[in-house]
Amino acid sequence: MLKKLLIFSVLFSATVGASPLSDGAMRLIQIGNEISSRDVVLRGQSLLLKGAFDLNDFDAMYEAAKQVRAGNELMGYKPQEREANEILIKLVRRSYDKALYEYALYLLDGNHGFIKNEFLALNLFEESFKVHGNAKSAMMAAIIRNELLVPGTKRKQRIDELITFAILNKVPGAQAYQAKYIDKDYLNDLKPSSWGNWIEAQEDL
């Protein structure tokens, strides 16, 4: 089993970057915000929307959703969470990995306009892992199963497979979680007030 996981890890460990179009658009938006240039930001946003809606670029759609969710003070755009969620759900239906992971986190915490649903979150994390080899999703699926957030899913072999894959891919917090909450499961339970904040804290360690 470990040999299979090692092979799988090598195949999927490379991070898939954003498309050149969305990457270029986001650079323009970032630069425009930094120099307080509405024209530069507008060029970036126009390029992003062209990719999202004219070229059906999933990376551009995802970044557009993030822009809509955050709003833009320089441009006078208010955050629009409902519209951002509509785009996110469309991407989830197309099994776009970044959307799967983000939506699953929102469901796990029950925030950003979504009702908490740990069962659906687990299914999305597992789809992200199985289809896209997402090691962060593997860790979160292992945690949901191990913490019994979804009753009846605590299967040791499956948990070990998921967390091992996350560790092999150097996901922040995976090895520490295994040592404290899986190997010593009888001693500890992980109950963060926010799973999103807990993940960010692991990345800062």
Side-chain angles (χ1 to χ4, degrees), residues 2-69:
L2 182 58
K3 184 177 180 181
K4 289 181 180 178
L5 286 169
L6 284 168
I7 294 171
F8 197 51
S9 174
V10 171
L11 288 174
F12 288 100
S13 60
T15 302
V16 178
S19 69
L21 184 146
S22 65
D23 191 48
M26 291 308 299
R27 278 202 298 272
L28 283 173
I29 292 171
Q30 181 181 356
I31 291 169
N33 282 318
E34 289 174 353
I35 65 175
S36 298
S37 171
R38 292 170 58 91
D39 287 341
V40 175
V41 171
L42 189 59
R43 283 202 297 274
Q45 290 178 336
S46 297
L47 186 60
L48 197 62
L49 292 175
K50 177 178 176 61
F53 299 107
D54 292 345
L55 304 178
N56 206 33
D57 184 320
F58 288 178
D59 289 327
M61 287 183 193
Y62 178 72
E63 294 297 344
K66 288 173 65 176
Q67 292 291 307
V68 170
R69 189 182 303 280

Side-chain angles (χ1 to χ4, degrees):
M1 181 56 67
L2 182 58
K3 184 177 180 181
K4 289 181 180 178
L5 286 169
L6 284 168
I7 294 171
F8 197 51
S9 174
V10 171
L11 288 174
F12 288 100
S13 60
T15 302
V16 178
S19 69
L21 184 146
S22 65
D23 191 48
M26 291 308 299
R27 278 202 298 272
L28 283 173
I29 292 171
Q30 181 181 356
I31 291 169
N33 282 318
E34 289 174 353
I35 65 175
S36 298
S37 171
R38 292 170 58 91
D39 287 341
V40 175
V41 171
L42 189 59
R43 283 202 297 274
Q45 290 178 336
S46 297
L47 186 60
L48 197 62
L49 292 175
K50 177 178 176 61
F53 299 107
D54 292 345
L55 304 178
N56 206 33
D57 184 320
F58 288 178
D59 289 327
M61 287 183 193
Y62 178 72
E63 294 297 344
K66 288 173 65 176
Q67 292 291 307
V68 170
R69 189 182 303 280
N72 190 300
E73 186 176 347
L74 176 66
M75 303 299 290
Y77 301 150
K78 294 182 179 180
Q80 300 181 65
E81 194 157 74
R82 183 176 64 82
E83 289 78 1
N85 288 344
E86 288 176 358
I87 300 173
L88 188 69
I89 294 299
K90 288 179 181 178
L91 289 169
V92 167
R93 288 173 180 158
R94 299 184 182 192
S95 194
Y96 178 73
D97 191 41
K98 290 180 182 178
L100 290 172
Y101 182 78
E102 184 174 312
Y103 182 38
L105 277 182
Y106 292 165
L107 290 171
L108 203 55
D109 277 330
N111 58 14
H112 290 285
F114 295 108
I115 298 172
K116 182 179 288 191
N117 187 332
E118 291 100 338
F119 178 75
L120 181 53
L122 175 60
N123 286 337
L124 291 168
F125 282 130
E126 297 236 338
E127 178 183 345
S128 173
F129 165 63
K130 291 175 184 176
V131 177
H132 304 285
N134 188 324
K136 290 183 179 180
S137 291
M139 181 179 77
M140 294 311 301
I143 290 173
I144 291 172
R145 287 175 175 275
N146 190 61
E147 300 297 324
L148 269 179
L149 300 183
V150 178
T153 60
K154 188 166 185 173
R155 301 201 305 272
K156 188 177 188 306
Q157 182 177 346
R158 181 60 173 160
I159 292 168
D160 288 343
E161 289 173 3
L162 290 164
I163 201 67
T164 299
F165 183 80
I167 292 170
L168 288 172
N169 284 276
K170 298 180 172 56
V171 176
Q175 192 160 9
Y177 180 83
Q178 182 191 49
K180 185 172 182 180
Y181 298 101
I182 295 178
D183 295 345
K184 298 180 180 179
D185 185 49
Y186 58 94
L187 294 175
N188 300 292
D189 287 314
L190 180 58
K191 296 180 180 179
S193 57
S194 165
W195 287 101
N197 290 343
W198 181 83
I199 291 169
E200 289 182 7
Q202 307 314 301
E203 294 174 350
D204 293 337
L205 293 177

